[in-house]
Amino acid sequence: MNISNPQAAAHPFLKALYADDYYPDHVLDRGREILLRLCERIEAERPADLTALYVLTHAATEEFNDLEAAFDAAGSEIETVAREEIGEQFWFIAHAYGFTDADSEELIAGREW
């Protein structure tokens, strides 16, 4: 994945979850890939406003919804700590790409976790 934004490229996505053995690395890797793809889409599509950004973040949120089954299968789940960390990653991405007025709840409005 080729991300040109230096903040996003250097960011350790989901770091807090990788540090906790409750969350399986192979599932976290898939979550990290979702976040990196979101960065790539933002760079490729260059959303002009928050409405356009939310279209992209909602699609990534749907991918996390689908990932919940993988957490369950690995004996884990997207619970409070994971929800907070994932939400913070979406907020970080929005800010890294200049959307400092993005609403943290709207970024992940379609979440089922």
Side-chain angles (χ1 to χ4, degrees):
M1 296 186 181
N2 202 7
I3 297 172
S4 63
N5 180 297
Q7 282 182 292
H11 187 70
F13 288 106
L14 304 175
K15 181 180 179 180
L17 301 183
Y18 277 107
D20 188 332
D21 289 340
Y22 179 68
Y23 307 103
D25 285 356
H26 71 280
V27 179
L28 293 176
D29 291 345
R30 291 173 58 190
R32 183 176 175 274
E33 290 171 9
I34 293 168
L35 295 167
L36 291 171
R37 277 195 307 275
L38 174 58
C39 293
E40 288 180 328
R41 287 193 68 194
I42 291 170
E43 290 184 11
E45 297 181 25
R46 302 190 185 279
D49 56 22
L50 284 174
T51 301
L53 174 69
Y54 292 147
V55 168
L56 300 179
T57 64
H58 292 171
T61 299
E62 289 295 324
E63 290 187 68
F64 269 101
N65 289 345
D66 295 341
L67 193 58
E68 191 165 21
F71 275 99
D72 290 340
S76 184
E77 65 179 310
I78 301 178
E79 42 69 67
T80 304
V81 172
R83 279 193 299 270
E84 300 260 334
E85 177 70 7
I86 294 165
E88 287 176 16
Q89 301 307 295
F90 277 81
W91 182 87
F92 167 82
I93 291 169
H95 281 245
Y97 286 96
F99 293 96
T100 57
D101 53 346
D103 180 270
S104 59
E105 288 299 315
E106 183 59 33
L107 289 168
I108 55 173
R111 71 182 168 101
E112 297 172 359
W113 26 272

